[in-house]
Amino acid sequence: MLQQWNDLVLRMTEPEVSYNCEWALAVEAAYAASRRPLLALGYDGDELVGVVCLATEPHAEGEVSFLTANTADYCEFLSLPERREEFVEAVFSELRIAGVSNLVLANLPAESPTLPALRTAASKNGFHLYMRPAYSCPQVTLGTEVQRRELKTTVSRKRQLRRCLRALEREGPVTCTYLRSWTQVEPVLPEFARAHVARFKGTQHVSFLSAPERQVFMAELAKRSCESGMMTLTVLRNGDRAIAWSYGFQYQGIWFLYQTTFDIRCEENSPGYCLLARILIEACEMNSLRVVDLGLGAEGYKEWFANGSRQTLYATLTTSRVHHWREIARYRIASGLKRFPKLEGTIRKIRSRLRK
C-alpha cells in the first residue's frame, strides 16, 4: 500500500513531502503512546483513490485530528482534485456513524480543493465548520533562468552576508555540505538536536526536540526519507566545526527546509542566515527545483529572502453549536489581545501559573 499511497500523492495538484506514507509511519512509530492512527482509504475497484491519515487522542474523547498535525507544515486529504468532494463526504459519513463529534484539522493549504469539500461534507453530516488563518509559510520562487541568475547575484552581494562570511573566515574556511544517505545523516542528528535545544534555551524557550518522542520522530523520518531519496541535511562548517544545520527534503521541485538551527555561540555572525544564503545559491543552479520552502518559524532572516508565501488554515468541526461559537469567540478574543501586547503577556503569565 505504501507505493499506492505515494503514487496518489504524486497525482495531487501540489504534492508535499509531508503527505507521503513515510511521514505518517514516522509519526506512528514515535507517538504510539499518545496518538491512535485512524486511517481512511477510498477505493474505486482495486485502485486507491483517496487517503487521509487521522488520529484520536486518549485524553480527548470523540475528537479527531490529522495524525501529522503536530509535525507537518501541511496536512491534507489525498485524492485527485475532481474526486476530493466525493472522498471527503465519504470520510465524514463514516466518522459520523462512528460517533465522532469534534474534528480539528490544522495546516490545510488555503488554496486546497479540500476547503469547499469540507463545507459540503459538514453541512450534510451535521457539523458546524469554522476556518481561520493558521500560518504563513515564507517561500522563494526560483523562476526562469534569468530570474535565477538575478536571485543568485542578489543573494551573493548582500552586505550582511559578506560581512558575516568575512568574520567567520577569520576562524577558518566556510563550507557547505549536503548529506543524503542514512550513513551520512545518522551521526549528525544528535549534534543537530543539541544545537536546537541550546538555541531555544538561550532565548528562554523550550525546543520541541527536548521531547524524546520528537527526537525519535526526526530520526525515523530521516531514515525513511534517505531510503526513498528525499532527504537533504545541509551542514555549514567553519573550519572543522559545524555551526548551522538545515534538516530538509528535496521533493517534486521543492526544497523544503523543515528545521533549521545554528550554534548559538556563533550567533553574532548569523550562521543561519549564511546557511540559507548558501542553500538558495545552490538551488538556483539546480534545474530540478522551482521553489525553496523556508518552513514555519518566525526567524527574521527568512523574510529577507522570501519573495512569496503559502497560507495555511485551521479548521474546527463540531456537532455542538455551543462548542462552535466558543471556538469563534476564543479566536476573536485572542486576535484582539494581540493588539495589546502587554495585556496579552499578563494573561499568558496568569494562565501559566494556573496550569502549574
Side-chain angles (χ1 to χ4, degrees):
M1 189 186 72
L2 184 150
Q3 191 57 53
Q4 284 184 300
W5 180 327
N6 289 349
D7 287 345
L8 184 60
V9 174
L10 294 176
R11 298 170 69 189
M12 298 277 287
T13 305
E14 293 288 343
E16 294 288 344
V17 66
S18 57
Y19 300 165
N20 279 289
C21 189
E22 288 88 347
W23 199 292
L25 290 172
V27 173
E28 181 185 27
Y31 294 94
S34 59
R35 297 178 70 76
R36 301 192 189 108
L38 181 61
L39 183 63
L41 304 174
Y43 281 93
D44 186 350
D46 294 330
E47 182 186 5
L48 182 67
V49 296
V51 174
V52 62
C53 203
L54 304 170
T56 59
E57 300 187 27
H59 66 274
E61 190 66 30
E63 183 172 296
V64 167
S65 61
F66 285 124
L67 175 68
T68 59
N70 294 335
T71 60
D73 289 9
Y74 308 107
C75 301
E76 255 294 15
F77 287 75
L78 309 180
S79 75
L80 293 177
E82 60 268 22
R83 305 201 72 165
R84 190 69 50 83
E85 184 171 314
E86 175 189 8
F87 176 58
V88 172
E89 283 188 35
V91 171
F92 269 73
S93 178
E94 292 299 321
L95 291 174
R96 198 74 177 93
I97 293 170
V100 172
S101 56
N102 296 294
L103 288 96
V104 176
L105 303 177
N107 303 337
L108 279 162
E111 77 283 359
S112 169
T114 295
L115 305 183
L118 281 179
R119 295 187 182 95
T120 303
S123 176
K124 288 184 176 181
N125 292 279
F127 285 92
H128 302 284
L129 169 65
Y130 178 57
M131 288 189 285
R132 61 174 176 80
Y135 301 103
S136 180
C137 304
Q139 296 184 330
V140 181
T141 300
L142 301 176
T144 64
E145 185 176 346
V146 172
Q147 290 170 326
R148 288 167 183 260
R149 287 200 299 267
E150 291 175 352
L151 176 61
K152 183 178 176 181
T153 301
T154 300
V155 171
S156 302
R157 290 179 177 176
K158 281 186 177 290
R159 185 178 301 175
Q160 182 178 351
L161 176 63
R162 297 202 305 271
R163 179 185 63 78
C164 291
L165 288 175
R166 281 197 301 268
L168 289 170
E169 286 167 353
R170 296 189 192 106
E171 305 295 325
V174 178
T175 57
C176 207
T177 56
Y178 306 94
L179 312 179
R180 296 184 172 89
S181 72
W182 178 236
T183 54
Q184 294 174 319
V185 170
E186 183 183 20
V188 178
L189 289 178
E191 185 179 37
F192 165 80
R194 286 194 296 271
H196 201 283
V197 171
R199 177 190 165 200
F200 275 77
K201 187 176 181 180
T203 59
Q204 306 301 310
H205 291 84
V206 178
S207 162
F208 58 74
L209 281 174
S210 299
E213 297 89 347
R214 192 64 174 237
Q215 293 195 31
V216 171
F217 163 72
M218 297 286 276
E220 281 284 332
L221 180 59
K223 184 176 182 180
R224 294 176 186 275
S225 298
C226 285
E227 290 170 356
S228 56
M230 298 183 293
M231 183 77 191
T232 300
L233 179 60
T234 310
V235 184
L236 187 73
R237 296 185 178 278
N238 190 193
D240 295 330
R241 176 186 171 193
I243 59 172
W245 303 257
S246 179
Y247 178 115
F249 310 89
Q250 291 182 25
Y251 178 75
Q252 293 300 299
I254 299 173
W255 192 339
F256 176 47
L257 309 185
Y258 179 52
Q259 293 295 330
T260 299
T261 195
F262 56 84
D263 188 333
I264 197 170
R265 293 171 295 180
C266 304
E267 187 171 11
E268 64 179 6
N269 292 321
S270 303
Y273 177 90
C274 295
L275 175 62
L276 179 52
R278 287 293 180 91
I279 288 174
L280 289 176
I281 291 170
E282 177 74 10
C284 286
E285 297 176 351
M286 300 175 66
N287 292 329
S288 60
L289 296 175
R290 53 186 175 82
V291 172
V292 178
D293 190 320
L294 306 183
L296 294 181
E299 294 88 348
Y301 61 79
K302 292 182 180 180
E303 300 298 333
W304 298 340
F305 291 108
N307 57 17
S309 64
R310 193 177 186 198
Q311 181 69 47
T312 63
L313 301 177
Y314 184 96
T316 57
L317 300 102
T318 177
T319 56
S320 166
R321 190 177 295 273
V322 172
H323 189 152
H324 173 65
W325 287 109
R326 185 189 302 145
E327 183 68 24
I328 295 173
R330 182 185 294 120
Y331 172 69
R332 290 182 177 175
I333 291 170
S335 297
L337 284 173
K338 288 180 179 178
R339 291 182 292 174
F340 306 96
K342 290 184 179 179
L343 178 58
E344 183 186 22
T346 301
I347 291 174
R348 287 183 183 277
K349 288 178 182 177
I350 292 172
R351 289 178 62 188
S352 178
R353 288 172 185 167
L354 288 173
R355 288 195 190 99
K356 290 179 182 179

